[in-house]
Amino acid sequence: MVSFIARRVAAALGTLFLSSVLVFLAVQALPGDVATQVLGKDATPDAVAALREKLSLDRPAWERYTDWVRGALHGDFGTSLVSGKAVGSEVSMYLGNSALIALITVLFAVTGSIVLGILAGLYRDRWPDHLISTVSLVGMSVPEFVVATVLVLCFSVALPWFPAVVLYGPDASVGQLLPAVWLPALALAVVMAAYIVRMARTSVIDVMASEYVTTARLKGLSTWRVVTRHALPGAMLPTLHVIALNVAWLAGGVAVVENVFNYPGIGKLMLSSVQNRDLPVIQAIALISAVVYVVCNLAADLGAMALNPKLRTRGRTR
Amino acid sequence: MTTLDTAPPAPPATAPARAARAWRTLRSSRAAVIGLAIVGVHVLIAVLAPLLTSYDPIANDSSHALLGPGWDHWAGTDQYGRDVLARVLYGGRYALGVSVAATLVTVALGTVVGCAAALRGGWFDDVLGRVLDAVLAVPSILALLVVVTALGTGPAVIVLAIAVVYVPQVVRVVRGAALAVVPADYVTAARARGESTWSILRREVLPNITDVVCVEFAMRASWVVLLISSLSFLGFGADPPTPDWGLMVAENRTAITVVPMASLAPIIALATLVVGLNLAADGLSKAWGVDRIREGS
Amino acid sequence: SGPAAAPVLPAAAKKGAPDRGGTLRIARPPASEAETLDPASALSAYEYLGALYNRLVRVDANGDLAPDLAESWEPDAQARTWTFRIREGVTFHDGRRLTAADAAYTLRHILDKATASPQAAVLAPLIDPKTLRTPDEHTLVVPLKTPNAEFPSLLTHYNCYVVPDGSARSIGRTGIGTGPFKLESFAPAGPGRVTAYTDHWQGRPVLDAIAFYSVADMSARSNALLAGQVDLLSQTNLDFATARVVAASSRATVARVKNAQWYVLPMLTTEKPFTDVRVRQAMKLAYDPEHVVKVALQGAGTAGWDNPVPPSDPAHIAAHPAHDPEKARYLLKQAGHEGLATDLYTSSYDPIFTPMALAYQDSAKRAGIRIKVKTAAADSYYTQIWMKKPLMATYWYTGRPVDQLFTQVFRGGSSYNETAWSDKDFDALLDRARRETDDNRRRELYGEAQTFVVEKGGAMTPMFADRLVGLSRKVRGYAEHGFEFDYLGIGLKGA
Amino acid sequence: MTSIVSVNSLSVAYRSGGRDVSVVHEVSWEVAEGRTLALVGESGSGKSTVAATLLGHLRHGSRITAGSVHVDGSDVFSLPARELRRLRGNTVAMVAQNAGHALTPSMRIGRQIAEAGGDVPVVDLLEQVRLPRPAELARRYPHELSGGQQQRVAIAMAVAARPKVLVLDEPTTGLDVVTQRGVLDLIGALRDELGLAAVLVSHDLGVVAHMADEVTVLRSGRVVESAPTRQLFAMPQDPYTRRLLASVPRLDDAGLALVGEAGEREVRPKAHVPDTAPVAVSARDLTIDYGSSRAVHGVSFDVRRGEVLALVGESGSGKSTLAWTLAGLRTPSGGTMTHDSGDLARPAQKRPLALRRRVQLVFQNADTSLNPRRSVGDAVRRPLRFFGTAATRTQAADRARRLISDVRLDPALADRLPAQLSGGQRQRIGIARALAGEPDVLIADEITTALDVSVQADVLRLLDDLRRERELACLFISHDLAVVRGIADRVVVLRHGVVVEEGPTDAVFASPGHPYTRRLMAAALEPDPDAAPFVDGAVDWSDAAEPDDLWTDHGPGHRVRRWRPADRLTTEGVS
Ligand SMILES: Nc1ncnc2c1ncn2[C@@H]1O[C@H](COP(=O)(O)OP(=O)(O)OP(=O)(O)O)[C@@H](O)[C@H]1O
Ligand SMILES: Nc1ncnc2c1ncn2[C@@H]1O[C@H](COP(=O)(O)OP(=O)(O)OP(=O)(O)O)[C@@H](O)[C@H]1O
Ligand SMILES: [Mg+2]
Ligand SMILES: [Mg+2]
């Protein structure tokens, strides 16, 4: 068990390392000289040279990479080319705001969709299943920006229950943001839940058809007991990974929704830093998203371990 | 030969018969039929758009701006006086064209790489897995934005960007499917004959994962359509005045209370196409016994 | 415009007296994180500047010069030395009294290289900072290097707000000025708040406070207005469709500021093919400005005919070449660019850009010009596209005195010369006009300059647009011209 | 005599393509208290379907179209849900075929047993099914047990609530002979101890003969014959039953049995392999490793042209590993392998083409050995073209047709997909494909294990014919001793990768020299209720081979690895 965790963590670290290299290389590939970019129309050759030196652009890429990684390990992601502030603190501010949305989204989407998915799976081919499946199909088929726009129209403009946009900056307090997180969270939850519902449904159906559930039934157990004790752990296993992927997707998927709601979150920062070629910020966001992805997957693995004794008691994954 | 060896009474199957059988299985799934029909209608509309409407989707006509639905303009006009219906009809061309191209490239590449990984195994598979995982760890929208920013917008760039983002996921799915095939004895037999990797891949593995690949195609296509529309919506996709659904929503959503059809029509078009693709993927996977969500996520 | 399509938009905001007090909430597009409140180098924080500061001289609603912190001013006979009489009894927000030294410091601050003020390019050829004199506490004498009859108009620019003596280091954050509001908080590209300055020399404003919010997305901004989260959208010219949505709403309405901004399609004269004057002329002759006004503005504006001087300006001349696609075609052929194909960059920064670009594209087709409209990101539009791409869409606020306009935007080497057009003859013409003290003669020279720009310059000016400002139905006393509105009188009813 | 179970004219069907497909037709039978009834028949004959109806269970999509099932006086399919649950818990219990799948993987087995109800403590139950250290075992998860242990747990679970009827659906099919014997003995003992009625589903007539009081033979969902066990085995009435019985190979057959239409048996003597026949392949001190674990330790053997050498041993003894290595799919870590035309030490891709085609493999599982998307003709044509044995396309097609008829199939089948053939037909195609390279060595890895007995007999016949016709050297791998007896000329007994005994088939079967061989033979079940064990039970032993003194000789070519009786009682563990 310990070795299983150790291996997973090692793999996760490897992934992170590779991601960081990829991100660094990709960002280097962005066209245009950064220094000229930053200085804009005022760029004199002297100023460009000075800035190049300041940004250490004149040094070989691998040196810059190691510097960057060393800094990142100490929480120092450099300074933003646009605002001149420390990237680390800036990104974490935006990230915190997004985390608020993510938390609410995950809470609602995950619990709700698991319950719905299980219901659909148990009532397979009957009306609750048809209803849930149809709704989730539509949820999957409508892009986030449409859901978000419709929500604004309904619940901000027509019925002024929630703010249509966030008027605060990234340093807003939780209290200021709280009224504004519900609509974005709902928009994200609709899209995210659709996938989890469908996954939960299929795996419940699969597990309910398995021999061990049949055996449990033939033991004369009640349906409730069969479902909760025998079927659920098995059904949750594949669902767990879908949930993890969806949570990781949130890290990037918020971009569109945050844009619609002017929400000062990581997605919005991502858009604007790509547009402004704010390389240190892009790198930091990519790296942090990679961390989120890796952590989510690791969490899913650990969850799988809790649900699946085979993983807990054996050293090997397969 | 004797007695109890009872052969099933199946008719001999030739290649066309095999196709017919695939079609029969497919037809047995209502979802797949409906889904493919919806997609087919979309394709038809896109191809026949010039015959279906006499309006030019990009001609400005200031004297007929922001009209509600009426006899001349069934779905009204937008703020440039362009016929909304014409734009929606033509809009499928961009959405379908780019999505199909992007999906084809993505799935083809992913399939070859995924099969090769499964077949080769060993360090090749390990290293590839690590690299793909690392790519997956970067949010797709960020990767897309970076590619598009680096190379500029345009259909070719978007196809490339989508390939970058989705190939790893396709590789995963296809590799998973191929891994189920690779240990099969007929692959072993081919290996024992000493056949080359490529020939094993083409003759033994690929035919057995075509169903997975087809389902993957349909599902990927639905994601790609959504992604492309999101890109257009964010201003990274089609350039105006291209008739494109995502762009139309972005252009008209502020005016949704005045000319609702200008936003609703492209949304409906987009949603039905994606529903069609999703239904097709669902139906195909059910008919062919591919568990799509599990593999697709 | 369409019969059923375009109902008449309300021409102005609700009239009537506001209630005293209240907080006005303004949504504005975020500028960069580098945004500063230092008026000399500020590029975008117009709303703050107008509330926090005063200038020596301002432009009134009729386009004439009016006294602000300078009670009066006069030139010597050759318009070479200008003497300003500084108002007494004015205090800064920190309680200090305003003196001529502050005014002199303001000019020196603008001219200081370290400040990097855009206005420095306009003023530096005229003023040597060392020669500024303050004979007494309330007199400022400005000797000019060359005579300039329009000099005071150059001080109406928003870079010329008066700041306290010696404040260069801190002014970008503190925002201490003499304006009707004082700064409470400010975050670059973020929210901020100003509160009424009760000791303002013109008396306290009607409002208690103004809250500013930054909202990047145009439709998010209008949604905020529709949802009643903000009272006014600044720096936002609503497109026609949005204006109709706003006008139809129960919470908000639209105010219309006539010919408030002029829209430009600048061709970079340093980039092929626009280096060739024939191509520039062809581009201008190729399109019909009336068509652009109709498509992009639904008629809510005036055709510009490539003359940047607004029709309301006394110096404006109406003469211009007629729309002639055939001639354009011919010119292009001569220049070896028949069937010219080029990219035209726009952005959602301003909702009119894309309509204008599409209208131009549509119209120029007849001359065989193929335009590809490309959308660039709003956030970085003015750092990545403006003055970088050969052809793009942009706009200016009207309300610049004609000399300021030409000097700032068209003179060779000036900071905002967005077409990088540099023509010695034109510059000489400008110099002559500036020196000319006879008003009529000067007006004629500026007329010549306009012809010059129309014929040879790189800027296409399709139209002057009425600005459609979205504001809450509660807002009273809204009056806007140039870069600012009436901060003293604006207020809310029933807030 | 009261019958506790009675099935009356039961018909079951499922809907497919809008019409009912019948699976079981008007089946009737009864079981009296304390008696055991066996349901036998080929795969797909409806055995499991009928058995499960005793618990009121039907597969998803199928339904009862006629008849009824009564258990302990109640009509199972008209019981309300609550009553049905009570019936399942208390009156009838089921042991499913594959305990590995039937136990919930995320639950400790103790809990699962306790859940089944009844008052007997879990530990006692585990003890009753003879599992060692029951208290500790109860805390384990299913995957921490071996297949045999899992099956015992499933049995414990079934008898926990002390039901009156036990339904056993192929309870030992997945297990090897030795383990199977143990589980069957346990079931028998429990049945007698608790006085249970049992319904045993099996296709293995040996198991049936050993366990059942009565037998019902099913074929395509219909009852063919029903009789007390002794009577059925002694005087089968129905020709089908007779053929079925006759097809079962027996340990005392000296050759392959030929079965006639009416079930008459005739044993064909083995082909004579002259001593002068050249050696086709030979292995010397072969060692094969999987990573750090050694699967095969220093095995040596020769196979001569026209000879069948059988490799026997329980599951995991390294038989397949040897086969794969010979075929060039694994590289040995030590020793040599030679073919008369070259060295076999290198993997297949690196062997010269000429050598590659000389050694061919036939796979165990006919389902997975043919590409389901390619016609069987394709499967045969490919090696013809690949090895260059047929120069042109038409030639290849011709030759493929000939090969297909060589394996006694209709060449018209060439256009079919594997799924359209029966298991036996597929296995023949597999053989045809192997023959396409014109090999002189054929490796047959459990090629009949997955087939029904009658089909198995046909395939064995074919193999025997082929080796006679083509002088094939054949390495025949099996764990079924009766099959080996009929076809092999010589036997090599493998245990944990080590050869413990080898010799001419007759000699080894007549006097097995190694206790391990004896144990294998003792565990084999003959299709005869009165059969005495073929050999006496084995003694406990330990290996006594010295590096330079490995063997004891028991006659010409028959040698046995040195062993000695165990000093103390080594509990080999209950598998
Ligand atoms: N619901 C169903 N859907 C499809 N086929 C079914 C269904 N129920 C039963 N069958 C078919 O009915 C036949 C009988 O199945 P059953 O499992 O009872 O056979 P069996 O004798 O137990 O076979 P085996 O020895 O392989 O276990 C099979 O051919 C099976 O495919
Ligand atoms: N791919 C592998 N990796 C590691 N160990 C393996 C592998 N394949 C087989 N083994 C191990 O090698 C040993 C021999 O396996 P092999 O498959 O040759 O046995 P077998 O005699 O063919 O058994 P069966 O009768 O079940 O087919 C077993 O202990 C098995 O666990
Ligand atoms: Mg069965
Ligand atoms: Mg084996």
mmCIF file of all heavy atoms in Angstrom, chain A residues 239-268:
data_model
loop_
_atom_site.group_PDB
_atom_site.id
_atom_site.type_symbol
_atom_site.label_atom_id
_atom_site.label_comp_id
_atom_site.label_asym_id
_atom_site.label_seq_id
_atom_site.Cartn_x
_atom_site.Cartn_y
_atom_site.Cartn_z
ATOM 1 N N THR A 239 -16.286 6.168 -11.728
ATOM 2 C CA THR A 239 -16.845 7.514 -11.615
ATOM 3 C C THR A 239 -15.828 8.464 -11.000
ATOM 4 O O THR A 239 -15.733 9.630 -11.373
ATOM 5 C CB THR A 239 -18.117 7.474 -10.746
ATOM 6 O OG1 THR A 239 -18.913 6.379 -11.179
ATOM 7 C CG2 THR A 239 -18.905 8.748 -10.890
ATOM 8 N N LEU A 240 -15.085 7.909 -10.060
ATOM 9 C CA LEU A 240 -14.107 8.717 -9.349
ATOM 10 C C LEU A 240 -13.132 9.396 -10.304
ATOM 11 O O LEU A 240 -12.808 10.576 -10.163
ATOM 12 C CB LEU A 240 -13.329 7.779 -8.428
ATOM 13 C CG LEU A 240 -12.839 8.330 -7.124
ATOM 14 C CD1 LEU A 240 -14.015 8.815 -6.318
ATOM 15 C CD2 LEU A 240 -12.113 7.239 -6.364
ATOM 16 N N HIS A 241 -12.693 8.662 -11.300
ATOM 17 C CA HIS A 241 -11.711 9.239 -12.216
ATOM 18 C C HIS A 241 -12.344 10.291 -13.107
ATOM 19 O O HIS A 241 -11.715 11.281 -13.447
ATOM 20 C CB HIS A 241 -11.024 8.137 -13.021
ATOM 21 C CG HIS A 241 -9.945 7.461 -12.233
ATOM 22 N ND1 HIS A 241 -10.156 6.294 -11.546
ATOM 23 C CD2 HIS A 241 -8.685 7.844 -11.986
ATOM 24 C CE1 HIS A 241 -9.056 5.974 -10.909
ATOM 25 N NE2 HIS A 241 -8.136 6.894 -11.160
ATOM 26 N N VAL A 242 -13.596 10.065 -13.460
ATOM 27 C CA VAL A 242 -14.289 11.094 -14.241
ATOM 28 C C VAL A 242 -14.435 12.369 -13.407
ATOM 29 O O VAL A 242 -14.231 13.480 -13.888
ATOM 30 C CB VAL A 242 -15.654 10.570 -14.704
ATOM 31 C CG1 VAL A 242 -16.473 11.686 -15.318
ATOM 32 C CG2 VAL A 242 -15.458 9.463 -15.704
ATOM 33 N N ILE A 243 -14.750 12.168 -12.138
ATOM 34 C CA ILE A 243 -14.873 13.341 -11.265
ATOM 35 C C ILE A 243 -13.537 14.071 -11.204
ATOM 36 O O ILE A 243 -13.465 15.291 -11.355
ATOM 37 C CB ILE A 243 -15.323 12.916 -9.853
ATOM 38 C CG1 ILE A 243 -16.756 12.378 -9.912
ATOM 39 C CG2 ILE A 243 -15.231 14.086 -8.890
ATOM 40 C CD1 ILE A 243 -17.248 11.815 -8.611
ATOM 41 N N ALA A 244 -12.476 13.315 -11.015
ATOM 42 C CA ALA A 244 -11.156 13.940 -10.916
ATOM 43 C C ALA A 244 -10.832 14.725 -12.177
ATOM 44 O O ALA A 244 -10.379 15.872 -12.115
ATOM 45 C CB ALA A 244 -10.091 12.880 -10.687
ATOM 46 N N LEU A 245 -11.117 14.115 -13.324
ATOM 47 C CA LEU A 245 -10.809 14.802 -14.573
ATOM 48 C C LEU A 245 -11.642 16.065 -14.703
ATOM 49 O O LEU A 245 -11.173 17.097 -15.180
ATOM 50 C CB LEU A 245 -11.080 13.873 -15.758
ATOM 51 C CG LEU A 245 -10.000 12.833 -15.965
ATOM 52 C CD1 LEU A 245 -10.387 11.876 -17.062
ATOM 53 C CD2 LEU A 245 -8.687 13.519 -16.321
ATOM 54 N N ASN A 246 -12.896 15.975 -14.268
ATOM 55 C CA ASN A 246 -13.752 17.145 -14.366
ATOM 56 C C ASN A 246 -13.299 18.260 -13.446
ATOM 57 O O ASN A 246 -13.373 19.432 -13.802
ATOM 58 C CB ASN A 246 -15.204 16.769 -14.053
ATOM 59 C CG ASN A 246 -15.934 16.351 -15.298
ATOM 60 O OD1 ASN A 246 -16.225 17.179 -16.148
ATOM 61 N ND2 ASN A 246 -16.195 15.080 -15.430
ATOM 62 N N VAL A 247 -12.871 17.873 -12.255
ATOM 63 C CA VAL A 247 -12.389 18.896 -11.332
ATOM 64 C C VAL A 247 -11.143 19.563 -11.919
ATOM 65 O O VAL A 247 -10.995 20.781 -11.894
ATOM 66 C CB VAL A 247 -12.094 18.290 -9.948
ATOM 67 C CG1 VAL A 247 -11.441 19.315 -9.056
ATOM 68 C CG2 VAL A 247 -13.374 17.794 -9.321
ATOM 69 N N ALA A 248 -10.285 18.732 -12.507
ATOM 70 C CA ALA A 248 -9.095 19.296 -13.125
ATOM 71 C C ALA A 248 -9.490 20.181 -14.308
ATOM 72 O O ALA A 248 -8.899 21.226 -14.548
ATOM 73 C CB ALA A 248 -8.162 18.189 -13.589
ATOM 74 N N TRP A 249 -10.532 19.761 -15.018
ATOM 75 C CA TRP A 249 -11.010 20.538 -16.156
ATOM 76 C C TRP A 249 -11.460 21.914 -15.706
ATOM 77 O O TRP A 249 -11.301 22.905 -16.414
ATOM 78 C CB TRP A 249 -12.160 19.793 -16.827
ATOM 79 C CG TRP A 249 -12.968 20.618 -17.753
ATOM 80 C CD1 TRP A 249 -12.650 20.933 -19.038
ATOM 81 C CD2 TRP A 249 -14.215 21.253 -17.490
ATOM 82 N NE1 TRP A 249 -13.634 21.718 -19.580
ATOM 83 C CE2 TRP A 249 -14.598 21.938 -18.663
ATOM 84 C CE3 TRP A 249 -15.056 21.324 -16.376
ATOM 85 C CZ2 TRP A 249 -15.778 22.669 -18.751
ATOM 86 C CZ3 TRP A 249 -16.220 22.046 -16.461
ATOM 87 C CH2 TRP A 249 -16.576 22.710 -17.629
ATOM 88 N N LEU A 250 -12.011 21.971 -14.491
ATOM 89 C CA LEU A 250 -12.465 23.256 -13.961
ATOM 90 C C LEU A 250 -11.359 24.297 -14.053
ATOM 91 O O LEU A 250 -11.605 25.468 -14.335
ATOM 92 C CB LEU A 250 -12.865 23.100 -12.499
ATOM 93 C CG LEU A 250 -14.321 22.775 -12.223
ATOM 94 C CD1 LEU A 250 -14.554 22.716 -10.741
ATOM 95 C CD2 LEU A 250 -15.222 23.801 -12.850
ATOM 96 N N ALA A 251 -10.133 23.841 -13.819
ATOM 97 C CA ALA A 251 -9.012 24.779 -13.809
ATOM 98 C C ALA A 251 -8.941 25.550 -15.117
ATOM 99 O O ALA A 251 -8.588 26.722 -15.136
ATOM 100 C CB ALA A 251 -7.703 24.033 -13.566
ATOM 101 N N GLY A 252 -9.278 24.883 -16.230
ATOM 102 C CA GLY A 252 -9.258 25.590 -17.495
ATOM 103 C C GLY A 252 -10.640 25.994 -17.956
ATOM 104 O O GLY A 252 -10.831 27.037 -18.564
ATOM 105 N N GLY A 253 -11.632 25.166 -17.622
ATOM 106 C CA GLY A 253 -12.981 25.384 -18.117
ATOM 107 C C GLY A 253 -13.628 26.642 -17.605
ATOM 108 O O GLY A 253 -14.573 27.156 -18.198
ATOM 109 N N VAL A 254 -13.099 27.169 -16.521
ATOM 110 C CA VAL A 254 -13.704 28.380 -15.979
ATOM 111 C C VAL A 254 -13.461 29.575 -16.884
ATOM 112 O O VAL A 254 -14.123 30.592 -16.748
ATOM 113 C CB VAL A 254 -13.173 28.689 -14.575
ATOM 114 C CG1 VAL A 254 -13.679 27.693 -13.593
ATOM 115 C CG2 VAL A 254 -11.681 28.763 -14.564
ATOM 116 N N ALA A 255 -12.513 29.459 -17.818
ATOM 117 C CA ALA A 255 -12.135 30.639 -18.607
ATOM 118 C C ALA A 255 -13.339 31.306 -19.248
ATOM 119 O O ALA A 255 -13.547 32.514 -19.098
ATOM 120 C CB ALA A 255 -11.118 30.241 -19.673
ATOM 121 N N VAL A 256 -14.140 30.509 -19.948
ATOM 122 C CA VAL A 256 -15.267 31.075 -20.663
ATOM 123 C C VAL A 256 -16.274 31.678 -19.687
ATOM 124 O O VAL A 256 -16.736 32.813 -19.847
ATOM 125 C CB VAL A 256 -15.934 29.992 -21.530
ATOM 126 C CG1 VAL A 256 -17.169 30.535 -22.190
ATOM 127 C CG2 VAL A 256 -14.961 29.487 -22.559
ATOM 128 N N VAL A 257 -16.610 30.909 -18.669
ATOM 129 C CA VAL A 257 -17.642 31.358 -17.740
ATOM 130 C C VAL A 257 -17.189 32.599 -16.982
ATOM 131 O O VAL A 257 -17.932 33.561 -16.826
ATOM 132 C CB VAL A 257 -18.004 30.209 -16.784
ATOM 133 C CG1 VAL A 257 -18.893 30.696 -15.673
ATOM 134 C CG2 VAL A 257 -18.687 29.103 -17.562
ATOM 135 N N GLU A 258 -15.938 32.580 -16.548
ATOM 136 C CA GLU A 258 -15.452 33.761 -15.831
ATOM 137 C C GLU A 258 -15.468 34.988 -16.721
ATOM 138 O O GLU A 258 -15.688 36.108 -16.264
ATOM 139 C CB GLU A 258 -14.034 33.498 -15.297
ATOM 140 C CG GLU A 258 -14.054 32.520 -14.143
ATOM 141 C CD GLU A 258 -12.689 32.328 -13.499
ATOM 142 O OE1 GLU A 258 -11.689 32.807 -14.061
ATOM 143 O OE2 GLU A 258 -12.634 31.703 -12.457
ATOM 144 N N ASN A 259 -15.230 34.743 -17.994
ATOM 145 C CA ASN A 259 -15.256 35.853 -18.924
ATOM 146 C C ASN A 259 -16.652 36.457 -19.008
ATOM 147 O O ASN A 259 -16.817 37.668 -18.985
ATOM 148 C CB ASN A 259 -14.808 35.343 -20.305
ATOM 149 C CG ASN A 259 -14.398 36.460 -21.209
ATOM 150 O OD1 ASN A 259 -13.621 37.306 -20.793
ATOM 151 N ND2 ASN A 259 -14.923 36.474 -22.407
ATOM 152 N N VAL A 260 -17.661 35.603 -19.066
ATOM 153 C CA VAL A 260 -19.032 36.099 -19.158
ATOM 154 C C VAL A 260 -19.406 36.876 -17.899
ATOM 155 O O VAL A 260 -20.049 37.913 -17.960
ATOM 156 C CB VAL A 260 -20.011 34.926 -19.393
ATOM 157 C CG1 VAL A 260 -21.446 35.398 -19.292
ATOM 158 C CG2 VAL A 260 -19.761 34.298 -20.750
ATOM 159 N N PHE A 261 -18.976 36.382 -16.751
ATOM 160 C CA PHE A 261 -19.386 37.012 -15.509
ATOM 161 C C PHE A 261 -18.384 38.044 -14.995
ATOM 162 O O PHE A 261 -18.550 38.559 -13.913
ATOM 163 C CB PHE A 261 -19.596 35.942 -14.428
ATOM 164 C CG PHE A 261 -20.813 35.101 -14.661
ATOM 165 C CD1 PHE A 261 -20.719 33.881 -15.281
ATOM 166 C CD2 PHE A 261 -22.067 35.548 -14.272
ATOM 167 C CE1 PHE A 261 -21.830 33.106 -15.509
ATOM 168 C CE2 PHE A 261 -23.187 34.788 -14.487
ATOM 169 C CZ PHE A 261 -23.071 33.557 -15.112
ATOM 170 N N ASN A 262 -17.332 38.271 -15.760
ATOM 171 C CA ASN A 262 -16.284 39.184 -15.323
ATOM 172 C C ASN A 262 -15.751 38.789 -13.960
ATOM 173 O O ASN A 262 -15.420 39.627 -13.128
ATOM 174 C CB ASN A 262 -16.829 40.616 -15.268
ATOM 175 C CG ASN A 262 -15.711 41.626 -15.153
ATOM 176 O OD1 ASN A 262 -14.725 41.548 -15.872
ATOM 177 N ND2 ASN A 262 -15.844 42.570 -14.243
ATOM 178 N N TYR A 263 -15.708 37.494 -13.726
ATOM 179 C CA TYR A 263 -15.285 37.009 -12.421
ATOM 180 C C TYR A 263 -13.758 37.017 -12.334
ATOM 181 O O TYR A 263 -13.086 36.488 -13.218
ATOM 182 C CB TYR A 263 -15.820 35.594 -12.213
ATOM 183 C CG TYR A 263 -15.642 35.090 -10.809
ATOM 184 C CD1 TYR A 263 -16.614 35.327 -9.854
ATOM 185 C CD2 TYR A 263 -14.502 34.398 -10.450
ATOM 186 C CE1 TYR A 263 -16.457 34.879 -8.562
ATOM 187 C CE2 TYR A 263 -14.336 33.940 -9.153
ATOM 188 C CZ TYR A 263 -15.317 34.189 -8.219
ATOM 189 O OH TYR A 263 -15.146 33.747 -6.934
ATOM 190 N N PRO A 264 -13.224 37.631 -11.291
ATOM 191 C CA PRO A 264 -11.756 37.773 -11.234
ATOM 192 C C PRO A 264 -11.073 36.477 -10.830
ATOM 193 O O PRO A 264 -10.496 36.387 -9.747
ATOM 194 C CB PRO A 264 -11.546 38.854 -10.187
ATOM 195 C CG PRO A 264 -12.727 38.725 -9.290
ATOM 196 C CD PRO A 264 -13.877 38.250 -10.125
ATOM 197 N N GLY A 265 -11.145 35.480 -11.691
ATOM 198 C CA GLY A 265 -10.566 34.188 -11.348
ATOM 199 C C GLY A 265 -9.434 33.822 -12.292
ATOM 200 O O GLY A 265 -9.054 34.590 -13.180
ATOM 201 N N ILE A 266 -8.953 32.634 -12.112
ATOM 202 C CA ILE A 266 -7.758 32.189 -12.821
ATOM 203 C C ILE A 266 -8.001 32.113 -14.323
ATOM 204 O O ILE A 266 -7.119 32.382 -15.134
ATOM 205 C CB ILE A 266 -7.303 30.816 -12.264
ATOM 206 C CG1 ILE A 266 -5.880 30.512 -12.691
ATOM 207 C CG2 ILE A 266 -8.219 29.713 -12.685
ATOM 208 C CD1 ILE A 266 -4.879 31.164 -11.805
ATOM 209 N N GLY A 267 -9.243 31.781 -14.693
ATOM 210 C CA GLY A 267 -9.562 31.683 -16.116
ATOM 211 C C GLY A 267 -9.439 33.032 -16.804
ATOM 212 O O GLY A 267 -8.935 33.145 -17.923
ATOM 213 N N LYS A 268 -9.892 34.051 -16.105
ATOM 214 C CA LYS A 268 -9.835 35.385 -16.675
ATOM 215 C C LYS A 268 -8.378 35.847 -16.763
ATOM 216 O O LYS A 268 -7.961 36.434 -17.763
ATOM 217 C CB LYS A 268 -10.623 36.344 -15.782
ATOM 218 C CG LYS A 268 -11.141 37.529 -16.500
ATOM 219 C CD LYS A 268 -12.339 38.082 -15.762
ATOM 220 C CE LYS A 268 -12.633 39.481 -16.232
ATOM 221 N NZ LYS A 268 -11.648 40.467 -15.831
#
